[in-house]
């Protein structure tokens, strides 16, 4: 709260005008819900998938992998949610795209490696789900990525369209 006096010549002499000060979180946070919501859903996919993988296979390192990768992607969603700072949005979106593309390649490799030996066939459906989920996230992010608007042609110059 900040109180200031109104300039002279305003409504009532000596009247006090109250300005509400907005917190920086209220101004730009979660303004880009379409992009940050998509990244948030991918973070939850990784977190829940890590828990499910640990429960089904008994390998606790999959829980840690899902926890760490989901937390990093969650941070990308936090960066992408700021509307006022375009650099934060771009950093969050591009880091998330890079991570999701890397995860897609890693999960595809693990799917291929787990398909051959009979001992590792219990992990095959898990890796297929993670590969498809990561690939779908990359495609959805590329489709949601904002495009630059077409610049209007300069006036006064004749352009021929062929």
């Amino acid at each position: 709260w900040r109180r200031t006096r109104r300039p002279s010549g305003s409504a009532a002499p000596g009247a006090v005008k109250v300005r509400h000060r907005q917190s920086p979180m209220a101004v730009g946070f979660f303004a880009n819900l379409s992009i940050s919501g998509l990244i948030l859903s991918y973070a939850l996919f990784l977190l829940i998938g890590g828990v499910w993988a640990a429960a089904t296979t008994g390998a606790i390192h999959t829980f840690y992998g899902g926890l760490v990768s989901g937390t990093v992607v969650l941070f990308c969603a936090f960066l992408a949610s700021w509307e006022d700072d375009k650099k934060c949005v771009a950093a969050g979106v591009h880091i998330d795209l890079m991570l999701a593309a890397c995860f897609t390649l890693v999960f595809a490799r693990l799917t291929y490696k787990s398909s051959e030996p009979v001992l590792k066939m219990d992990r095959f459906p898990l890796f297929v789900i993670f590969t498809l989920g990561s690939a779908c996230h990359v495609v959805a992010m590329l489709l949601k990525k904002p495009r630059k608007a077409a610049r209007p042609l300069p006036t006064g110059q004749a352009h021929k369209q062929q």
Side-chain angles (χ1 to χ4, degrees), residues 35-55:
I35 298 278
S36 61
L38 187 61
I39 299 173
L40 179 68
S41 66
Y42 183 58
L44 290 175
F45 170 74
L46 291 173
L47 288 167
I48 293 170
V51 171
W52 178 62

Side-chain angles (χ1 to χ4, degrees), residues 120-138:
K120 295 184 178 181
M121 278 305 285
D122 62 334
R123 301 176 191 172
F124 182 73
L126 173 75
F127 292 139
V128 168
I129 290 170
F130 273 108
T131 303
L132 291 176
S134 297
C136 288
H137 178 70
V138 170

Side-chain angles (χ1 to χ4, degrees), residues 9 23 25 27-28 35 40 44 66 68 78-79 83 93 101 103 114 119-121 127 133 142 147 156:
S23 71
M25 297 290 278
V27 175
I35 298 278
L40 179 68
L44 290 175
V68 170
F78 177 74
L79 285 177
E83 184 178 87
V93 168
F103 289 156
S114 69
L119 297 174
K120 295 184 178 181
M121 278 305 285
F127 292 139
L142 289 176
R147 307 281 182 225

Side-chain angles (χ1 to χ4, degrees), residues 100-114:
C102 289
F103 289 156
T104 303
L105 293 175
V106 168
F107 290 136
R109 183 177 150 262
L110 289 172
T111 302
Y112 176 73
K113 285 178 70 175
S114 69

